[in-house]
Amino acid sequence: MSDEPIQSLSPAEREAKEAQEKLEKQKEAEEQAQLPYTWKQTLQDVDISIPVPKGTRARDLEVVLKKDKLKIALKGQTSIIDGDLTQSIKVDDSTWSVDDQKEVLIHLEKANQMRWWDSVIQGAPKINTQKIQPENSNLSDLDGETRAMVEKMMFDQRQKAMNKPDSDTLKKQQMFEKFKQQHPEMDFSQAKFADQ
């Protein structure tokens, strides 16, 4: 039942699935709230926020950022975070700072920027990465070739939704019309496109 499209379920099954998802989301939120930090991510990076006592300065902290390890502690105290990262990071592109002497902000640049993390530290409560809603990106953020491909896909999707021909079919039709104009002596009344 869990992998079926919600439209194919009966009203009772749909209600049960929604209730189960609500419970899972609530459990996940409770587990994440128990962590000594909050975190969020994009495909490129992970940002962690750790509350610390007011007046904390960088010199009061022990921070270790390694490819596969993260440790944050107030000097002389037990670690706030200390463990192996779920995935590797780019150490040279990762940073940390103390904000307003009450919060440590850590920015981790992911080594694999095509994968969501289910937790920051191995063994920590996991999130369901299937439920992540990726941030919207602007077409202007993309390079020219990728942008053109995305715009073509969006156009084709809109055309399909309206039961109209996609860009490739339109191009074939335009070439065919041009060929017909160049050869008025030929009979094209029985001509058809193979994909129609």
Side-chain angles (χ1 to χ4, degrees), residues 2 12 18 24 28 30 43 48 62 67 90 103 117 134 165 190 193 195:
S2 62
E18 288 171 357
E24 288 171 1
E28 182 180 291
E30 289 170 0
L43 277 173
I48 305 167
E62 180 185 347
K67 181 181 175 198
K90 297 177 183 175
E103 185 176 37
W117 289 16
Q190 301 297 318
F193 287 103
D195 56 343

Side-chain angles (χ1 to χ4, degrees), residues 1-106:
M1 181 171 93
S2 62
D3 292 338
E4 286 184 65
I6 199 152
Q7 301 88 345
S8 68
L9 301 175
S10 71
E13 290 173 323
R14 189 176 302 147
E15 193 174 308
K17 182 179 175 83
E18 288 171 357
Q20 178 186 357
E21 287 177 353
K22 186 177 179 182
L23 283 173
E24 288 171 1
K25 189 173 184 177
Q26 182 179 352
K27 179 180 181 246
E28 182 180 291
E30 289 170 0
E31 288 176 345
Q32 293 297 309
Q34 296 298 315
L35 295 171
Y37 56 88
T38 57
W39 66 288
K40 60 184 179 178
Q41 67 180 315
T42 66
L43 277 173
Q44 291 77 32
D45 53 43
V46 173
D47 290 307
I48 305 167
S49 173
I50 305 169
V52 290
K54 184 86 172 134
T56 300
R57 298 186 178 276
R59 67 175 180 249
D60 301 325
L61 296 167
E62 180 185 347
V63 178
V64 177
L65 284 177
K66 293 185 178 176
K67 181 181 175 198
D68 297 307
K69 184 169 177 51
L70 175 65
K71 179 180 179 180
I72 310 293
L74 290 164
K75 287 186 178 170
Q77 297 184 27
T78 58
S79 299
I80 301 168
I81 299 176
D82 188 3
D84 294 328
L85 293 167
T86 302
Q87 302 288 326
S88 298
I89 62 168
K90 297 177 183 175
V91 177
D92 292 341
D93 296 330
S94 298
T95 60
W96 68 275
S97 63
V98 178
D99 185 42
D100 205 21
Q101 296 186 355
K102 63 179 181 180
E103 185 176 37
V104 178
L105 302 176
I106 303 163

Side-chain angles (χ1 to χ4, degrees), residues 39-46 85-89 108-119 122 126-127 129-130 132 134-135:
W39 66 288
K40 60 184 179 178
Q41 67 180 315
T42 66
L43 277 173
Q44 291 77 32
D45 53 43
V46 173
L85 293 167
T86 302
Q87 302 288 326
S88 298
I89 62 168
L108 304 175
E109 197 72 22
K110 294 179 178 178
N112 178 350
Q113 298 191 339
M114 297 301 291
R115 188 170 183 177
W116 296 109
W117 289 16
D118 58 9
S119 65
Q122 291 179 19
K126 295 181 178 184
I127 62 166
T129 58
Q130 301 298 313
I132 293 177
E135 73 282 357

Side-chain angles (χ1 to χ4, degrees), residues 73-188:
L74 290 164
K75 287 186 178 170
Q77 297 184 27
T78 58
S79 299
I80 301 168
I81 299 176
D82 188 3
D84 294 328
L85 293 167
T86 302
Q87 302 288 326
S88 298
I89 62 168
K90 297 177 183 175
V91 177
D92 292 341
D93 296 330
S94 298
T95 60
W96 68 275
S97 63
V98 178
D99 185 42
D100 205 21
Q101 296 186 355
K102 63 179 181 180
E103 185 176 37
V104 178
L105 302 176
I106 303 163
H107 175 82
L108 304 175
E109 197 72 22
K110 294 179 178 178
N112 178 350
Q113 298 191 339
M114 297 301 291
R115 188 170 183 177
W116 296 109
W117 289 16
D118 58 9
S119 65
V120 177
I121 301 295
Q122 291 179 19
K126 295 181 178 184
I127 62 166
N128 183 347
T129 58
Q130 301 298 313
K131 303 287 184 196
I132 293 177
Q133 295 291 324
E135 73 282 357
N136 289 331
S137 59
N138 296 323
L139 284 175
S140 59
D141 295 342
L142 304 173
D143 64 82
E145 185 179 334
T146 306
R147 180 178 176 165
M149 183 176 66
V150 170
E151 286 175 341
K152 178 183 182 294
M153 290 168 53
M154 290 169 59
F155 174 80
D156 289 346
Q157 194 172 27
R158 282 193 304 270
Q159 290 292 98
K160 184 178 180 181
M162 297 185 292
N163 286 329
K164 293 185 175 180
D166 65 12
S167 56
D168 293 333
T169 305
L170 285 173
K171 191 174 182 180
K172 289 176 191 175
Q173 288 174 346
Q174 290 171 346
M175 289 172 58
F176 183 60
E177 289 301 318
K178 189 175 180 181
F179 186 79
K180 281 175 33 178
Q181 289 173 357
Q182 293 172 346
H183 300 281
E185 73 282 358
M186 297 177 78
D187 178 20
F188 295 102

